[in-house]
Amino acid sequence: MLEKLIHIFDLDIQHSAPVENSFSSTVYRCVQTSGETVYIKIPFSRVKLFRELEAYRLLKAHIPIPTLLDFWTGDEHSIGALLLKESTGVQLSVDSSATIAFQVGQVHAKMHSIPQPANQKTTYIENVFQEWPQFLDRQFYSFAIDAKPLLEESLYNKAIHTFEKMKLQLPESDGPSFIHMDFRPGNILVTSSEVSSLIDFETVRFGSTEVDFTKIYRDYLSHDLQLYEAYQEGYTSIRPLIDLERVLPFYRFTDAFNSIGWCNRRGLEQNIDFYERNLDILKAEIS
């Protein structure tokens, strides 16, 4: 498949290698004979391909994203692919400065400020805000089918009870806003002085912002109070921030539960570390 895409995009490749930790898409880093580096991204499905293409169109004037050089919409045998210019920077880490955390907050808030186009229908980016409780139910119970075989019966039953109880305590939804749904350090590239690019838009929606803070808090903000405070300052410089302490417990719990189901759906053996990490979170959240 890679050779086919290299031919379609008319690339002269010196070296290529798959990108590690790309959980949904298949991504190749390709170094051309000219020295330029590009990425070929093959989404998990054609729906996700077109959703990402629409996201690039909506986001490019608002936040830093990779340059889309070309795309192929596939054929009867292939999903299709994106050709992306390499972005500068490395993945965000807890070693970043408070200045970077401030900018992460600003980028996140700018993304949440993007309205759905009034006169331009987005076919693949759903607007689920008006049915947010139903959307949460669909997500949770869809993954519950896959999570159930991996969990002890008592833990599974307790998770179902916890979900039904906690969702009733959620505040009024905040939106409709453009939400990433996978806003985490691995999808945020930074240099020493700035956020250089936000990547991976296969799961984006228009919905409530409250779901979008879970992973960035889990993997980044919860590790350093100074970063957390700087992030909040950056976010509120663009738009009001919801009461995170009120919503994070629910979304930490549901994210862990859904991730366990995802691991079974995509293959437990190759995702065993991710499964075990989320199992620990699930147990801690409903203990």
Side-chain angles (χ1 to χ4, degrees):
M1 185 60 194
L2 178 59
E3 291 301 320
K4 179 177 181 177
L5 291 170
I6 289 173
H7 174 73
I8 289 171
F9 290 137
D10 193 25
L11 301 175
D12 187 6
I13 300 299
Q14 184 180 55
H15 172 73
S16 65
V19 174
E20 296 181 358
N21 299 321
S22 179
F23 297 110
S24 182
S25 305
T26 300
V27 183
Y28 295 96
R29 182 177 186 269
C30 302
V31 180
Q32 302 191 83
T33 54
S34 64
E36 181 185 18
T37 298
V38 296
Y39 286 83
I40 295 176
K41 179 175 183 178
I42 308 170
F44 183 72
S45 67
R46 187 161 294 180
V47 168
K48 292 191 172 187
L49 169 71
F50 284 102
R51 184 181 294 148
E52 185 135 7
L53 285 171
E54 289 184 357
Y56 273 93
R57 175 176 53 80
L58 290 174
L59 294 173
K60 63 182 180 180
H62 301 278
I63 63 172
I65 58 174
T67 299
L68 178 65
L69 298 173
D70 201 354
F71 62 90
W72 178 57
T73 56
D75 54 27
E76 65 272 21
H77 305 295
S78 308
I79 290 170
L82 309 175
L83 180 66
L84 303 168
K85 184 178 180 179
E86 183 178 41
S87 298
T88 58
V90 297
Q91 291 182 0
L92 177 69
S93 77
V94 295
D95 296 324
S96 69
S97 66
T99 300
I100 293 296
F102 181 90
Q103 291 186 30
V104 171
Q106 285 189 316
V107 168
H108 206 186
K110 287 177 182 179
M111 185 181 67
H112 286 167
S113 300
I114 297 171
Q116 186 173 28
N119 57 357
Q120 190 171 11
K121 183 180 178 181
T122 54
T123 307
Y124 293 93
I125 302 179
E126 303 170 83
N127 186 342
V128 295
F129 180 74
Q130 298 301 330
E131 52 165 9
W132 190 248
Q134 294 79 13
F135 172 73
L136 295 178
D137 280 353
R138 287 198 303 270
Q139 291 281 102
F140 184 83
Y141 284 107
S142 171
F143 283 114
I145 297 171
D146 300 286
K148 187 174 184 178
L150 302 184
L151 299 175
E152 295 178 359
E153 185 177 0
S154 60
L155 181 59
Y156 175 82
N157 290 335
K158 192 171 184 179
I160 299 296
H161 174 75
T162 299
F163 175 76
E164 292 297 335
K165 179 181 178 180
M166 291 183 72
K167 73 178 183 180
L168 297 176
Q169 301 168 0
L170 291 173
E172 184 178 352
S173 300
D174 175 43
S177 295
F178 189 101
I179 51 177
H180 190 280
M181 297 287 290
D182 196 20
F183 193 78
R184 58 185 176 85
N187 287 329
I188 304 168
L189 303 182
V190 300
T191 66
S192 60
S193 60
E194 64 179 1
V195 175
S196 56
S197 189
L198 181 62
I199 64 175
D200 194 1
F201 308 109
E202 292 187 13
T203 57
V204 299
R205 303 282 196 281
F206 285 96
S208 177
T209 64
E210 60 197 48
V211 73
D212 230 18
F213 301 98
T214 309
K215 296 177 182 180
I216 192 67
Y217 180 83
R218 178 194 67 195
D219 298 337
Y220 179 63
L221 300 174
S222 64
H223 296 275
D224 189 314
L225 180 59
Q226 184 182 18
L227 296 180
Y228 191 19
E229 291 175 344
Y231 166 88
Q232 292 180 84
E233 290 175 8
Y235 191 98
T236 55
S237 71
I238 304 297
R239 72 187 302 271
L241 181 63
I242 62 173
D243 184 355
L244 293 180
E245 301 306 317
R246 188 174 175 187
V247 302
L248 279 172
F250 174 79
Y251 285 100
R252 282 200 301 264
F253 153 67
T254 54
D255 179 67
F257 183 86
N258 293 351
S259 294
I260 289 170
W262 182 91
C263 289
N264 194 19
R265 188 178 293 180
R266 294 296 180 88
L268 181 60
E269 184 175 349
Q270 57 265 45
N271 294 291
I272 190 65
D273 291 341
F274 189 53
Y275 160 75
E276 292 176 348
R277 192 158 68 246
N278 281 285
L279 182 60
D280 289 341
I281 295 172
L282 180 68
K283 289 179 177 179
E285 292 296 330
I286 64 176
S287 60

